[in-house]
Amino acid sequence: MDYEATLARLAAIGQEHLLDYYEELSPDGRTALLDDVERTDFSVLSSIGSEGDRTVGELTPADMLGLKEIEKRRGEFEKIGLKAIREGKIAAVLLAGGQGSRLGWDGPKGTFDIGVSRELPIFACQMENVKEVAKKAGYNFRVFIMTSSINDAATRDFFARHGYFGYDKDKISFFVQDMTPACDFSGKVLLSEKYAPALVPNGNGGWYVSLVKGGYKEILDKEGIEWLNVYGVDNVLQKICDPVFVGATLSAGVNCSGKVVAKACPEEKVGVLCKEDGAPTVIEYTELKDEQRYARDEEGNLLFGAGVILNYIFSVKKLDEIGGEKLPYHIARKKVSYIKEGKKVVPDEPNAYKFELLAVDLVKLMGNCLGFEVVREREFAPVKNATGVDSVDTARELLKANGVKL
Ligand code: UTP
């Protein structure tokens, strides 16, 4: 698209300021800017103002397998899970396209070194678990890693430099997620450079669409991969393709399952797996009314206490069935560097809206979802912040408590 046509397109949606520096750009810079604008989907901006509009339906607790029941049936589940892994029916999908802005680490979050006296990147923690499970099952299952165009090269390079952490290199594949524009609070898209609109990863909900776009559907079909275990990069106690979890999911005849931990307290700010008007959902902590937040069952457990930890198993068949369904964009306030009066500004506080698709919205479309309870201290050590709650310090303590040498 040429300059005039691009200007007209942008003017029609009130974004013509993106060409403010066009005149001072080199020919390459001009081409890059026009190309970026052409590729950008500005329609996401229309979701501004729609947040908070949602009316929450009737909430009921999730279908759950609690700790006691799991303990009783552990042997049976594990056997089924190990068999499925050995037969190549399940693969792992690591969501690693986020920017980890709260951690403030300049690089892919998985490259953050959580070690103290030795090097222990987050990726290594997780790959240790992958190797353990693969060894037990006697089969190296596939690991698909979602990156973004911002961290893709650095992530691939890190895996290569670390010898794929001793795993079968041919079983690790990378795919890149989509990007969306970030805008200021008045809806104007930011420039990250004079020649580039600020494009940021579009959230973790588009992972299946991006996996297919990346060309991996063929592998799923050819190898008979029927299940995908999707997990976040920022939990250093993450258990990947946990055979007991896999076995429980397959035995339950569901389309989807999610690991959950009992909420530490009613006020804990964590999404809760439950049902809304009979369909599975992950409700945000802000969406629970007080009477729901504090409600308890006969045993004294919170009725809505199944806190999600971003570890789900999805049926590939069901994902294909719902393929065409669009997920809603959620708006998050984040820090995004931008150009102002010709100079780069690195904000200290959130200054921009990001538009994100969320993996939890896929759960809603799966028809059913089994909650699988795990012990928080053994499986949930999130690294979200540099200090304080869910931080490097708290994750290190939890790793130590689980016998990991730091
Ligand atoms: P978070 O919600 O913590 O987002 O991601 P983030 O971008 O990594 O971190 P902050 O909010 O800027 O501090 C939860 C999981 O989803 C992945 C992350 O990599 C992490 O595993 N994710 C998030 C993506 O893969 N893509 C995204 O666009 C966003």
Side-chain angles (χ1 to χ4, degrees), residues 328-384:
Y329 272 101
H330 295 257
I331 299 178
R333 291 171 170 248
K334 301 264 175 137
K335 290 186 262 182
V336 175
S337 304
Y338 63 105
I339 300 288
K340 187 181 174 191
E341 288 156 12
K343 300 225 164 55
K344 185 85 157 205
V345 181
V346 181
D348 295 325
E349 294 298 323
N351 63 312
Y353 288 140
K354 271 192 187 178
F355 301 89
E356 300 189 323
L357 301 173
L358 300 183
V360 293
D361 282 324
L362 265 188
V363 172
K364 299 184 188 188
L365 300 175
M366 299 303 283
N368 50 44
C369 181
L370 176 73
F372 180 94
E373 189 183 358
V374 297
V375 178
R376 170 187 288 260
E377 294 73 20
R378 288 210 208 114
E379 299 206 18
F380 190 40
V383 183
K384 294 283 185 193

Side-chain angles (χ1 to χ4, degrees), residues 95-103 109 146 177 201-204 231-234 310 334 354 356 384:
L95 305 177
Q99 291 187 288
S101 56
R102 284 170 288 173
L103 182 61
K109 203 186 238 187
M146 182 165 86
Q177 69 173 98
N202 73 338
N204 59 24
Y231 60 102
V233 72
D234 39 20
L310 191 42
K334 301 264 175 137
K354 271 192 187 178
E356 300 189 323
K384 294 283 185 193

Side-chain angles (χ1 to χ4, degrees), residues 141 146 159 199 214 267 312 364 381 394:
F141 54 88
M146 182 165 86
F159 268 77
L199 297 178
E267 300 81 14
Y312 297 96
K364 299 184 188 188
T394 55

Side-chain angles (χ1 to χ4, degrees), residues 185-204:
F185 296 146
S186 68
K188 298 283 180 204
V189 172
L190 298 168
L191 279 170
S192 60
E193 301 293 345
K194 290 179 179 175
Y195 56 85
L199 297 178
V200 294
N202 73 338
N204 59 24

Side-chain angles (χ1 to χ4, degrees), residues 19-281:
L19 299 182
D20 276 358
Y21 301 100
Y22 187 81
E23 289 305 325
E24 53 180 280
L25 297 178
S26 66
D28 281 354
R30 290 178 176 187
T31 309
L33 179 59
L34 297 184
D35 283 354
D36 263 3
V37 170
E38 187 171 3
R39 272 198 299 266
T40 300
D41 175 10
F42 291 96
S43 68
V44 293
L45 299 169
S46 63
S47 39
I48 296 176
S50 63
E51 285 283 282
D53 284 355
R54 201 172 96 78
T55 343
V56 180
E58 193 206 342
L59 297 185
T60 46
D63 296 327
M64 282 287 304
L65 268 179
L67 290 177
K68 278 193 208 143
E69 176 75 1
I70 294 170
E71 223 24 71
K72 258 198 268 163
R73 301 178 63 186
R74 174 170 291 276
E76 167 201 342
F77 289 153
E78 190 172 42
K79 205 167 151 209
I80 297 170
L82 287 172
K83 182 169 179 282
I85 298 169
R86 196 173 312 119
E87 290 173 349
K89 293 216 164 89
I90 182 156
V93 180
L94 166 58
L95 305 177
Q99 291 187 288
S101 56
R102 284 170 288 173
L103 182 61
W105 169 245
D106 190 20
K109 203 186 238 187
T111 64
F112 182 84
D113 185 2
I114 193 114
V116 178
S117 62
R118 64 171 179 133
E119 192 195 356
L120 184 62
I122 292 178
F123 282 140
C125 284
Q126 296 192 334
M127 288 308 294
E128 271 313 305
N129 181 253
V130 166
K131 283 191 294 183
E132 232 172 78
V133 175
K135 191 168 169 213
K136 197 162 184 187
Y139 181 77
N140 286 337
F141 54 88
R142 282 195 179 270
V143 180
F144 298 103
I145 301 175
M146 182 165 86
T147 62
S148 77
S149 53
I150 297 171
N151 69 14
D152 183 65
T155 305
R156 287 173 194 255
D157 180 57
F158 198 78
F159 268 77
R161 273 192 292 119
H162 287 78
Y164 297 85
F165 303 99
Y167 201 59
D168 182 351
K169 167 177 179 291
D170 296 334
K171 291 294 180 88
I172 298 182
S173 316
F174 301 86
F175 65 101
V176 184
Q177 69 173 98
D178 289 338
M179 307 290 271
T180 48
C183 66
D184 66 17
F185 296 146
S186 68
K188 298 283 180 204
V189 172
L190 298 168
L191 279 170
S192 60
E193 301 293 345
K194 290 179 179 175
Y195 56 85
L199 297 178
V200 294
N202 73 338
N204 59 24
W207 63 268
Y208 189 64
V209 171
S210 299
L211 183 78
V212 173
K213 240 195 233 174
Y216 292 113
K217 176 74 177 111
E218 228 172 82
I219 288 189
L220 301 186
D221 290 344
K222 200 169 90 200
E223 298 185 3
I225 298 169
E226 295 172 9
W227 300 92
L228 294 170
N229 180 205
V230 176
Y231 60 102
V233 72
D234 39 20
N235 176 6
V236 287
L237 286 178
Q238 195 77 268
K239 301 260 178 287
I240 297 126
C241 291
D242 167 4
V244 183
F245 182 37
V246 175
T249 305
L250 270 58
S251 309
V254 287
N255 298 322
C256 171
S257 59
K259 282 199 168 184
V260 299
V261 294
K263 273 174 75 167
C265 61
E267 300 81 14
E268 191 184 7
K269 293 179 176 168
V270 62
V272 167
L273 182 69
C274 57
K275 285 195 266 186
E276 182 176 358
D277 297 328
T281 191

